[in-house]
Amino acid sequence: MTIPAEVYREYHLLPSILSADFSRLGEEVDSVMDAGVRIVHVDVMDGHFVPNITIGPVVVAALAPRVHERGGWLSVHLMIEHPESYIEAFAKAGADALSVHVEACPHLYHAVQAIKDLGVGAGVAINPGTDVTRVSEVTSLVDLILVMTVNPGFGGQEMIVPALRKVPVLRSMLPDTAAIELDGGVKRDNIRRVVEAGANWIVAGSAVFGAPDPAAEARALQGLIGVPEAS
Ligand code: DX5
Ligand code: ZN
């Protein structure tokens, strides 16, 4: 489903299912959506680009109808080599936004264009150790830039705070129609700082699904970034 243009400008909390209980994934997603979440973050890892291996298009296909039925969307973060080869499979599976890593894409412009041609929101993810100039040629094309504030691969890591410095720089490079999705180490005690830096789609994995009551934690984090309470 197409993510409406205004959603890229809004503030959203994106729970990452990486830290969810995979034996009851549907219920975990339902519980945060009941708390007002509209966008769910899905981490795809291949054991090559990052050391960990997670999920593929089948899990996206299983979740997408459930999330779409509730008026939500899936933002899929591809931490894989040769992401161009999998864009179509994830789009067909129901991804609503797809982000490829700049570090994995020698033909970045082509990859972004391929995502857009499939009618999916196009994102480029950037690691903490990568300079912002690496994305400057695609800032006018993308729907979002995904700023990593941990080295990708695992949930539950400490935020690399200096990586936040990229956010205001990227904000000045991007049209104001684009989102900055920030991913890694977000918790109650630093989420305001992330928003103040200029990010508006905020990913939280372990903070939400590692909490005793993920729905309550999602509500608390949304409150801190000014997302209206679920009715
Ligand atoms: C890490 C992933 C993140 C991860 C974030 O490589 O991209 O989306 O789920 O987890 P936390 O919020 O626990 O740092
Ligand atoms: Zn992620």
Side-chain angles (χ1 to χ4, degrees):
M1 281 168 58
T2 306
I3 301 177
E6 66 269 20
V7 176
Y8 289 100
R9 295 193 296 267
E10 295 168 354
Y11 287 87
H12 285 274
L13 178 78
L14 285 71
S16 162
I17 60 165
L18 185 61
S19 293
D21 176 351
F22 274 66
S23 71
R24 19 185 311 277
L25 191 52
E27 293 159 47
E28 292 268 75
V29 167
D30 287 352
S31 74
V32 292
M33 292 196 77
D34 287 343
V37 163
R38 304 289 304 283
I39 316 172
V40 174
H41 182 90
V42 179
D43 288 306
V44 177
M45 306 186 189
D46 65 351
H48 292 275
F49 181 69
V50 290
N52 202 0
I53 299 177
T54 57
I55 59 165
V58 288
V59 175
V60 171
L63 282 180
R66 194 162 182 141
V67 169
H68 293 159
E69 209 169 278
R70 290 164 164 263
W73 303 280
L74 291 173
S75 178
V76 177
H77 177 191
L78 299 180
M79 287 162 277
I80 61 177
E81 286 181 359
H82 309 297
E84 298 94 333
S85 309
Y86 299 93
I87 285 167
E88 196 175 346
F90 281 100
K92 282 196 175 141
D96 305 295
L98 266 176
S99 296
V100 295
H101 264 268
V102 60
E103 302 85 0
C105 274
H107 306 292
L108 188 61
Y109 205 96
H110 174 76
V112 170
Q113 198 70 67
I115 298 171
K116 289 174 80 89
D117 287 349
L118 289 161
V120 174
V124 174
I126 181 165
N127 279 338
T130 304
D131 194 88
V132 286
T133 53
R134 292 278 301 277
V135 300
S136 56
E137 297 300 325
V138 293
T139 47
S140 58
L141 202 64
V142 293
D143 296 294
L144 68 98
I145 295 283
L146 200 169
V147 177
M148 294 303 300
T149 44
V150 295
N151 289 302
F154 300 94
Q157 303 180 74
E158 280 285 302
M159 181 183 286
I160 299 170
V161 175
L164 279 180
R165 285 198 294 251
K166 285 202 186 84
V167 176
V169 180
L170 282 163
R171 217 11 121 196
S172 68
M173 293 164 68
L174 283 164
D176 53 14
T177 49
I180 294 184
E181 182 174 354
L182 187 131
D183 185 7
V186 172
K187 302 191 164 29
R188 282 195 202 203
D189 63 6
N190 59 20
I191 195 165
R192 281 300 317 161
R193 202 165 164 188
V194 163
V195 167
E196 279 155 18
N200 64 311
W201 283 16
I202 318 296
V203 177
S206 54
V208 172
F209 289 113
D213 182 345
E217 192 60 28
R219 275 196 201 91
L221 292 169
Q222 287 177 128
L224 289 168
I225 62 173
V227 174
E229 292 234 341
S231 48

